[in-house]
Amino acid sequence: MTTTNPGSYLRLDDGRPAVRFERIYDHPVEKVWAFVTEPDELAHWFPAPRITLDLVPGGTITFAGDPAVPDLRTTGRILAVDPPRHLSFTWGDDELRFDLAPLDGGRTRFTLTDVLEARDAAARNAAGWDVCLAALDAFAEGRSFEGPHSGPTPQWEKLYAEYVAAGLPAGAAVPGKD
């Protein structure tokens, strides 16, 4: 696994704020597609470890088991699916986009874009995705990692401080802390 974008803040062409991450995995695109579309695979790294999804445009996706808000169960909507290259869905007021591109040597470029409902969520969400993607990186490499299912941790707090220091907008409430 190679990190090509560890986490950056941007404004999309339509003006909406977003945070973006990019990795290159030493796996074919079909395997990385499974990481982002199969509930048993998502459980290893996604913030909400219990997920169900109807993988068609307009289908529903449900999230439960987030340690920061354990009683919360939310439902999103699948916005677009283009196997094995693109998946986007709503998650709360955000939009998550997963873009995969096959590369030479059976590798895959993985891009996660979190289109933010609120600009001030950038540092908070970036720190959270950083923890989640560290868990995905470990899972993809066959290593164990406690990851995002342990709530706001000292690791998350350190990353959050680093994103704030780097100038990402901050100030949104932190579930489980505020």
Side-chain angles (χ1 to χ4, degrees):
M1 187 280 312
T2 305
T3 300
T4 53
N5 178 351
S8 59
Y9 174 76
L10 65 146
R11 286 227 174 249
L12 301 178
D13 291 341
D14 62 9
R16 292 184 296 167
V19 291
R20 180 171 288 156
F21 299 82
E22 188 177 276
R23 307 281 197 269
I24 296 177
Y25 290 108
D26 295 328
H27 298 292
V29 70
E30 293 79 13
K31 182 167 180 110
V32 180
W33 180 249
F35 293 161
V36 299
T37 60
E38 293 183 14
D40 289 344
E41 305 286 302
L42 284 160
H44 291 283
W45 68 274
F46 202 80
R50 293 191 310 274
I51 299 170
T52 61
L53 65 157
D54 180 16
L55 204 56
V56 296
T60 59
I61 182 167
T62 61
F63 312 94
D66 184 334
V69 282
D71 296 329
L72 181 65
R73 178 183 169 96
T74 59
T75 301
R77 186 171 51 90
I78 304 291
L79 300 173
V81 179
D82 181 15
R85 298 184 190 275
H86 176 79
L87 171 64
S88 58
F89 56 85
T90 59
W91 188 32
D93 293 326
D94 287 3
E95 176 185 328
L96 298 181
R97 299 176 181 176
F98 299 92
D99 292 292
L100 309 178
L103 301 173
D104 293 338
R107 298 176 313 138
T108 301
R109 174 175 288 113
F110 164 97
T111 305
L112 164 61
T113 305
D114 180 353
V115 183
L116 305 166
E117 185 270 331
R119 181 180 180 276
D120 68 351
R124 178 196 68 195
N125 288 21
W129 287 120
D130 209 318
V131 171
C132 292
L133 291 175
L136 175 57
D137 299 346
F139 178 63
E141 294 173 355
R143 296 182 287 111
S144 63
F145 184 85
E146 198 161 311
H149 305 135
S150 51
T153 62
Q155 176 192 15
W156 178 89
E157 291 179 7
K158 177 181 180 284
L159 290 164
Y160 178 75
E162 290 172 2
Y163 280 114
V164 170
L168 270 71
V174 177
K177 289 189 70 84
D178 294 331

